[in-house]
Amino acid sequence: MTTGNRSGMERSEQRAQPRVAILILNWNGMRDTLDTLQSVQRLQYDNFEVVLVDNGSTDGSREVIATAFPTVRLIAPPTNLGVAGGRNLGIEAILRQPDVSYVLILDNDVAVEPLLLDKLVEAAERDAALGIVGPIIYYHSDPQRIWSAGSRFIFREVISRLRLKNHLVTQELTEGIEYVDALSGCCMLVKRRVFETIGYFNPHYFMVCDDSEFCYRAAKGGFRSGVVTHAKLWHKVSASTGGGYTPGRAYYTGRSTVLF
C-alpha cells in the first residue's frame, strides 16, 4: 500500500526508505479495525504494506474489511489462534518477502499520527542498538493523557509497570529516544533481524504478556527496546476484550503472569 501524492523527486527519495509491513490482528472487532485502517491510510510514509490477520472472526468483519480495503493483504485462519499465534502467522507470511526490513505490529483499536512511521523508522535506523521501537501511547478517550511510555520489569511485584501512566501532557515532548525494558504490543516496530535471531512471539501466551516476553528475549539476544518520545499513537485500551474487566482477560493475565 502506498499513500500520498508526492512529487517525482520525493518519490525518488522515497525509494531509499526501508520497506515496512504493518501487521494488524482482528478478532470480531470490525468497527475498531475499520477505524484503524482508515488511520493507517493517512500515514505519510510511502514504502509500506498492510497485512491483516482475521483471527477466526464470526462477526462478518472479514468480508467487510476485504471490500472496504481491497489493497490490504488478508490472512484468515479458520479459528482464533490467540494474539501470539495470530501475529506469528502474519509475521511468517511477511518475512517470506526479502525486501521487508521492519514489521510494525499494531492493535486493531488505535489511531496513528500521520508521521508515526517516519519517526519510528528514523529512530531505528539511527541507533543500531535498537531492535524494537514504539511511540508514546495516549488514551484515545483522553488524547493528551499518556497510557504507556514503555515499561520496566519489576519481577518482585508484577510483570512490568507502565511508565508515565495517566501523566497529562500539556506541551510537545522533547524529541528523543528513551531505552525501556519492554514496549506494548499495541504498537511496536521490530527490525527484521530481531525475528531472525530470537524467533517470533511465544505461542504459549494466548494473550497478555506475549509482548513483554518478546522484548525480554530480544534484550537477551542483544536488541534494546526504546520509546520515541516525539511519536504519538492513541489507543482504545483493551477494546478487543470489552474495554475493562472481563473474566477471560483476568484469567489470561493471571496465567500469562505465572508463565512468564
Side-chain angles (χ1 to χ4, degrees), residues 3-231:
T3 60
N5 295 303
R6 302 192 176 187
S7 69
M9 181 177 295
E10 287 174 316
R11 289 194 178 279
S12 177
E13 293 173 353
Q14 170 262 310
R15 292 192 189 101
Q17 289 181 328
R19 180 77 169 163
V20 179
I22 299 176
L23 175 61
I24 300 171
L25 189 65
N26 174 67
W27 177 68
N28 291 336
M30 177 169 55
R31 185 180 299 275
D32 286 330
T33 301
L34 291 172
D35 288 345
T36 295
L37 290 170
Q38 287 280 6
S39 174
V40 166
Q41 281 198 325
R42 292 191 286 271
L43 286 169
Q44 293 186 19
Y45 196 91
D46 284 296
N47 195 13
F48 73 89
E49 65 172 327
V50 179
V51 176
L52 188 138
V53 176
D54 183 76
N55 219 0
S57 293
T58 57
D59 66 345
S61 56
R62 184 185 315 166
E63 294 77 16
V64 173
I65 291 167
T67 300
F69 295 93
T71 60
V72 169
R73 182 180 176 189
L74 189 62
I75 300 173
T79 58
N80 186 353
L81 302 176
V83 175
R87 284 175 177 163
N88 287 348
L89 187 65
I91 293 165
E92 183 178 16
I94 287 167
L95 294 187
R96 293 194 190 108
Q97 303 171 83
D99 63 331
V100 173
S101 299
Y102 291 90
V103 179
L104 178 68
I105 295 167
L106 287 183
D107 272 359
N108 71 319
D109 57 352
V110 301
V112 302
E113 66 164 326
L115 287 173
L116 177 73
L117 257 185
D118 297 80
K119 294 175 180 179
L120 295 184
V121 171
E122 181 185 6
E125 290 284 288
R126 190 168 62 240
D127 189 340
L130 283 171
I132 309 170
V133 295
I136 300 286
I137 301 170
Y138 298 82
Y139 288 96
H140 193 275
S141 59
D142 193 355
Q144 289 185 286
R145 194 173 299 278
I146 292 174
W147 175 67
S148 174
S151 60
R152 300 289 187 193
F153 292 135
I154 310 174
F155 286 111
R156 69 180 181 274
E157 298 177 15
V158 292
I159 285 297
S160 61
R161 178 175 293 172
L162 296 177
R163 299 172 61 252
L164 300 180
K165 185 174 183 180
N166 294 325
H167 180 77
L168 184 64
V169 178
T170 56
Q171 58 187 10
E172 289 296 312
L173 296 178
T174 303
E175 180 176 337
I177 300 169
E178 295 182 359
Y179 292 126
V180 294
D181 290 334
L183 294 167
S184 169
C186 85
C187 182
M188 54 166 61
L189 181 74
V190 186
K191 289 179 178 177
R192 181 188 186 100
R193 68 175 183 273
V194 175
F195 295 118
E196 293 174 340
T197 302
I198 71 166
Y200 304 163
F201 290 89
N202 188 333
H204 290 107
Y205 295 81
F206 188 83
M207 61 180 289
V208 185
C209 296
D210 55 294
D211 45 6
S212 294
E213 193 273 346
F214 180 77
C215 292
Y216 182 79
R217 277 191 291 120
K220 292 292 186 182
F223 301 99
R224 303 197 74 171
S225 296
V227 172
V228 182
T229 55
H230 56 295

